Amino acid sequence: MTTQTAQGRTAQVVTVGVGPLSPADVVAVARYRAPVRIDDQALEEIAKSRAAIEALAHADTPHYGVSTGFGALATRHIAPELRAQLQRSLIRSHAAGSGPEVETEVIRALALLRLSTLATGRTGVKVETAQAYAGLLNAQLTPVVHEYGSLGCSGDLAPLSHVALAVMGEGKVRDADGNLRDTAEAMAEHGLKPVVLAEKEGLALINGTDGMLGMLVLALADLDRLLKTADIAAAMSVEGQLATDRVFAADLQALRPHPGQADSAANLRAVLNDSGIVASHRGPDCNRVQDAYSLRCSPQVHGAARATATHAASVAGYELSAAIDNPVVLPDGRVESNGNFHGAPVGYVLDFLAIAVADVASISERRTDRFLDVARNHGLNAFLADDPGVDSGHMIAQYTQAAIVSELKRLAVPASVDSIPSSAMQEDHVSMGWSAARKLRKSIDGLQRVLAVEILTAARAIDMRAPLEPSPATGAVRSKLRELVEGPGTDRHLAPEIEHSVQLVADGTYLSAVEAVTGPLS
């Protein structure tokens, strides 16, 4: 079954079952608004675990989250007639976020991943509660979630509570057109009914790492594109600065057999293939074997970033396979408390990725800067200006890069080492994984902008090397840019030109243009 998304894409329905979702499933639902369905096996497992919870609810012995309070209040036994109120109170009190609204794609990822955990049958919710999550996603009703409120333990409590609040028919949502709506009213328009939560359900809806995991999965999808784009940008800088491609040879790279490095170097070779500019100074008399590190070591840096992303993807894979709740309903019917909601594994790799992103941006900015200095740009005008002194060329574009790179270095400071105690010292060590994820999203946006400026500048330099011709691949990038941005000339308003280049990085136009020539990059 297929459906048309809000972006005009045709999307397959994503099936949520007992097993894990794939990263592609998460991106499809979160970013491209693919619809979801819960499979029959998952519905059976949900019903089984609910039966186990209902048996405990009628037992004389208190059970955490079923017939007791929560967190530091877990010692109080709750009478049966107060348990529905207990669940409502839990969600309402925990929906305590503040600050700017979180992006729709993040909230959809968070809701989908919570649904995936519910579908494992390890949480004890009612079938209709799980179906309510699918209903919100398919109606494209996005609960309002705020920037601040999660400490990443017990999971992303506040963000998940805002989603659960919407399942109860309370709070605010954004509809498919982005309009802010009363939740109950918007649900009624789509034939959706609010859920009355029963024993244990409140905990099941908010104990998870779904927000930070969703942002990790989305970040990895972005980095797959951006690290290939970084190789394209580096290749254009190699051309524009009359650097050598000899250092990217496969046998040289094999002496240090990191897979990511090999992939990056292979991309550089493919993108630079048949470059007239590179060929113009290749030969026995070429002395360009000691280019600056920012050019020569591009595969080493970009490759290390790829290795970091590979490690982060392995962590995401484990997390996608997880059933995170507290307590959980085990296959034999036992209901046990645990600490699986702690976000440390995800928080660490989110921080690690922010370091790699900052360094890839840093080397990009250094390559760009070399274009602007007559002592290092091998015959180009100062700042690539049309009439240096009268014109400033790309002088301040590099300032913009430098400002972003400086910010990325600040964002690379880890959040996951900054635990702060809460809940009357019951939750005395937390992951801060949500905070790590939020800053990584800012870092990725910054990397896109830095690479966009490098490509904009490199394209200008390549034009200034005429009549020498770039490679077919880099020429394709330049052609896409020139559809929106004029070539070298007197100074123009530069900010719109930067933004055009940013968009071409962000939507994958540059990458697609290259891969149409080279085939898929690694």
Side-chain angles (χ1 to χ4, degrees):
M1 178 181 176
T2 60
T3 189
Q4 199 76 10
T5 69
Q7 288 75 17
R9 295 171 179 255
T10 299
Q12 293 286 340
V13 175
V14 169
T15 298
V16 182
V18 175
L21 293 165
S22 71
D25 290 335
V26 176
V27 173
V29 174
R31 186 162 284 172
Y32 303 118
R33 305 192 182 190
V36 303
R37 62 174 290 273
I38 308 171
D39 74 14
D40 291 341
Q41 182 188 0
L43 293 173
E44 291 175 7
E45 291 299 321
I46 293 169
K48 286 181 186 176
S49 69
R50 183 62 206 167
I53 291 297
E54 289 178 352
L56 291 177
H58 295 95
D60 294 332
T61 305
H63 292 274
Y64 175 69
V66 178
S67 52
T68 71
F70 309 113
L73 304 177
T75 55
R76 178 177 172 182
H77 183 264
I78 307 299
E81 65 272 17
L82 295 176
R83 290 175 189 171
Q85 179 184 336
L86 172 69
Q87 304 304 315
R88 288 195 300 271
S89 296
L90 173 69
I91 301 303
R92 289 169 177 168
S93 66
H94 284 50
S98 184
E101 291 182 33
V102 172
E103 304 84 2
T104 294
E105 68 174 19
V106 171
I107 301 167
R108 286 182 62 82
L110 179 151
L112 173 67
L113 291 167
R114 185 63 345 205
L115 173 58
S116 181
T117 287
L118 301 181
T120 64
R122 304 277 70 84
T123 69
V125 300
K126 302 190 299 288
V127 165
E128 52 264 43
T129 302
Q131 290 171 328
Y133 275 74
L136 282 178
L137 288 165
N138 290 341
Q140 296 187 34
L141 298 178
T142 305
V144 172
V145 173
H146 298 281
E147 178 82 14
Y148 304 111
S150 175
L151 300 179
C153 191
S154 303
D156 293 318
L157 286 175
L160 283 163
S161 295
H162 280 275
V163 176
L165 194 71
V167 170
M168 291 166 49
E170 301 182 19
K172 299 290 184 180
V173 294
R174 295 277 179 187
D175 64 19
D177 297 320
N179 301 309
L180 187 63
R181 304 285 304 281
D182 178 79
T183 299
E185 176 187 286
M187 289 177 72
E189 286 182 9
H190 289 274
L192 302 175
K193 294 181 179 180
V195 173
V196 178
L197 300 181
E199 294 93 343
K200 170 67 175 65
E201 289 196 289
L203 282 177
L205 301 186
I206 65 176
N207 263 299
T209 59
D210 307 292
M212 63 183 91
L213 174 59
M215 286 185 273
L216 173 59
V217 171
L218 291 168
L220 289 168
D222 290 332
L223 285 172
D224 180 68
R225 166 178 44 85
L226 289 175
L227 292 176
K228 294 171 185 175
T229 304
D231 290 337
I232 294 166
M236 295 179 72
S237 288
V238 166
E239 279 191 311
Q241 294 176 39
L242 300 182
T244 182
D245 63 349
R246 291 170 59 186
V247 294
F248 308 134
D251 54 356
L252 286 175
Q253 300 297 318
L255 296 175
R256 194 184 195 193
H258 289 282
Q261 178 179 324
D263 288 344
S264 177
N267 288 346
L268 284 159
R269 293 194 302 272
V271 176
L272 289 169
N273 189 45
D274 290 332
S275 169
I277 297 176
V278 172
S280 71
H281 59 91
R282 184 190 289 125
D285 57 341
C286 177
N287 61 1
R288 297 300 304 278
V289 294
Q290 286 286 299
D291 290 316
Y293 288 5
S294 59
L295 297 164
R296 198 187 340 159
C297 300
S298 292
Q300 285 75 16
V301 173
H302 297 179
R306 278 174 166 79
T308 305
T310 297
H311 171 58
S314 71
V315 172
Y318 294 133
E319 204 74 2
L320 287 167
S321 298
I324 295 176
D325 190 14
N326 182 49
V328 291
V329 183
L330 294 166
D332 62 6
R334 287 182 298 125
V335 177
E336 297 284 358
S337 292
N338 66 90
N340 285 335
F341 48 72
H342 199 289
V346 185
Y348 291 170
V349 294
L350 288 162
D351 281 334
F352 195 3
L353 285 172
I355 293 170
V357 166
D359 202 39
V360 172
S362 178
I363 198 170
S364 172
E365 182 274 330
R366 287 293 81 201
R367 290 190 299 258
T368 305
D369 182 67
R370 298 187 69 80
F371 279 116
L372 309 179
D373 181 0
V374 293
R376 295 178 291 152
N377 69 15
H378 303 284
L380 298 172
N381 291 357
F383 302 104
L384 305 186
D386 185 63
D387 184 4
V390 174
D391 295 314
S392 295
H394 278 208
M395 177 193 294
I396 308 303
Q398 183 269 330
Y399 284 34
T400 299
Q401 269 191 322
I404 295 169
V405 168
S406 186
E407 174 68 9
L408 294 183
K409 292 173 183 176
R410 291 188 287 272
L411 292 170
V413 175
S416 55
V417 298
D418 192 27
S419 174
I420 189 167
S422 57
S423 191
M425 295 299 287
Q426 173 74 3
E427 299 171 8
D428 59 352
H429 185 275
V430 297
S431 76
M432 302 307 295
W434 173 273
S435 298
R438 296 306 295 163
K439 68 186 183 65
L440 179 60
R441 284 183 69 83
K442 295 176 185 176
S443 296
I444 285 174
D445 177 70
L447 176 58
Q448 288 186 152
R449 295 176 184 281
V450 170
L451 293 174
V453 172
E454 181 181 4
I455 291 173
L456 183 72
T457 303
R460 185 179 180 96
I462 287 169
D463 280 339
M464 295 172 78
R465 295 292 184 193
L468 296 175
E469 285 295 321
S471 76
T474 59
V477 171
R478 182 183 62 175
S479 295
K480 287 295 182 183
L481 177 62
R482 292 292 169 253
E483 292 175 7
L484 301 171
V485 175
E486 294 179 20
T490 56
D491 282 354
R492 304 181 294 266
H493 184 192
L494 197 51
E497 299 189 358
I498 292 172
E499 291 308 308
H500 283 312
S501 189
V502 170
Q503 187 57 45
L504 295 173
V505 170
D507 65 15
T509 296
Y510 285 147
L511 178 57
S512 296
V514 166
E515 292 188 327
V517 176
T518 64
L521 296 182
S522 299

